[in-house]
């Protein structure tokens, strides 16, 4: 290969690196994109706490619910934020460009939902046994597991859809999904999960 060709490739790589640093990896772009969503995430956490404070009847009628509620929020944030990160990486690599029957998209969403179901089931059982081990009253493994699974899977479905829309939408508007999707999903996840826990608890009480 001619010597000039090597120089041309090096120059192209330098230009690409400078454009990448300016568009996505500079401190200004990272802080500028992430800060508004981090602020919204903070208010979202407060909103989730307000929803929890309004669940006094459910918390009294279902012993052990207060134990699994924070765990459902944590699990939901971990699973959905990981999904958002994976989607962002796949979009940067050109593996996902739109909502379609894309194996990369299907596998990421499907894996996230399966994790939600498995972890919700384990969480319900663990919540019961930990509650009993600490000498507190529990509504029983079946009740807590039903609530955990209903809340975990339903919120997982909603957040998977939101994560896909956010990741693709932010990228098309010139934002780095890695800076935006994770805090946004964490915020939306807290609020959606608390609402789903409330609904799941109501459904179980009606059974």
């Amino acid at each position: 290969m001619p010597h000039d060709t090597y120089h041309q490739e090096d120059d192209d790589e330098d230009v690409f690196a400078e454009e990448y640093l300016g568009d996505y990896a500079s401190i200004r772009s990272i802080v500028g994109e992430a800060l508004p969503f981090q602020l919204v995430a903070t208010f979202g956490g407060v909103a989730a706490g307000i929803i929890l404070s309004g669940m006094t009847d459910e918390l009294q009628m279902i012993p052990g619910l207060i134990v699994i509620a924070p765990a459902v929020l944590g699990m939901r944030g971990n699973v959905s934020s990981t999904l958002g990160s994976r989607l962002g990486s796949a979009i940067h690599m050109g593996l996902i460009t739109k909502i379609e029957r894309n194996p990369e998209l299907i596998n990421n969403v499907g894996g996230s939902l399966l994790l939600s179901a498995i972890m919700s089931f384990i969480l319900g059982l663990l919540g019961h046994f930990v509650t009993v081990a600490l000498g507190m009253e529990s509504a029983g493994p079946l009740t807590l597991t039903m609530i955990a699974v209903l809340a975990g899977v339903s919120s997982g479905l909603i957040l998977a859809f939101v994560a896909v829309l956010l990741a693709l939408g932010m990228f098309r508007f010139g934002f780095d999904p890695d800076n935006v999707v994770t805090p946004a999903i964490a915020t939306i996840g807290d609020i959606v999960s608390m609402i789903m826990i409330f609904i799941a608890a109501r459904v179980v009480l009606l059974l």
Side-chain angles (χ1 to χ4, degrees), residues 125-142:
L125 293 176
L126 186 62
H128 164 72
F129 290 117
V130 168
T131 300
V132 173
L134 293 176
M136 297 185 291
E137 184 182 358
S138 170
L142 179 60

Side-chain angles (χ1 to χ4, degrees), residues 98-177:
K98 60 182 179 179
I99 299 177
E100 58 182 353
R101 293 186 64 83
N102 182 316
E104 186 76 19
L105 180 58
I106 293 173
N107 290 343
N108 273 291
V109 173
S112 173
L113 294 178
L114 181 58
L115 274 174
S116 297
I118 294 172
M119 292 306 301
S120 296
F121 180 78
I122 295 173
L123 173 60
L125 293 176
L126 186 62
H128 164 72
F129 290 117
V130 168
T131 300
V132 173
L134 293 176
M136 297 185 291
E137 184 182 358
S138 170
L142 179 60
T143 297
L144 294 183
T145 300
M146 286 178 62
I147 293 174
V149 171
L150 284 173
V153 174
S154 60
S155 59
L157 282 168
I158 296 171
L159 292 174
F161 180 72
V162 172
V164 173
L165 289 182
L166 269 178
L168 288 170
M170 291 298 100
F171 187 76
R172 288 181 180 178
F173 281 103
F175 293 94
D176 186 350

Side-chain angles (χ1 to χ4, degrees), residues 56 58 78 80 82 86 114 132 139 152 155-156 163 181:
T56 52
E58 288 75 16
N78 292 336
S80 297
T82 300
R86 291 179 61 86
L114 181 58
V132 173
S155 59
V181 176

Side-chain angles (χ1 to χ4, degrees), residues 55-69 131 137-148 197-206:
M55 294 174 56
T56 52
D57 291 341
E58 288 75 16
L59 293 173
Q60 292 175 356
M61 297 173 67
I62 306 176
L65 180 60
I66 189 63
V67 174
I68 67 170
T131 300
E137 184 182 358
S138 170
L142 179 60
T143 297
L144 294 183
T145 300
M146 286 178 62
I147 293 174
I197 290 172
F198 175 80
I199 294 174
R202 278 293 174 183
V203 169
V204 169
L205 287 173
L206 291 174

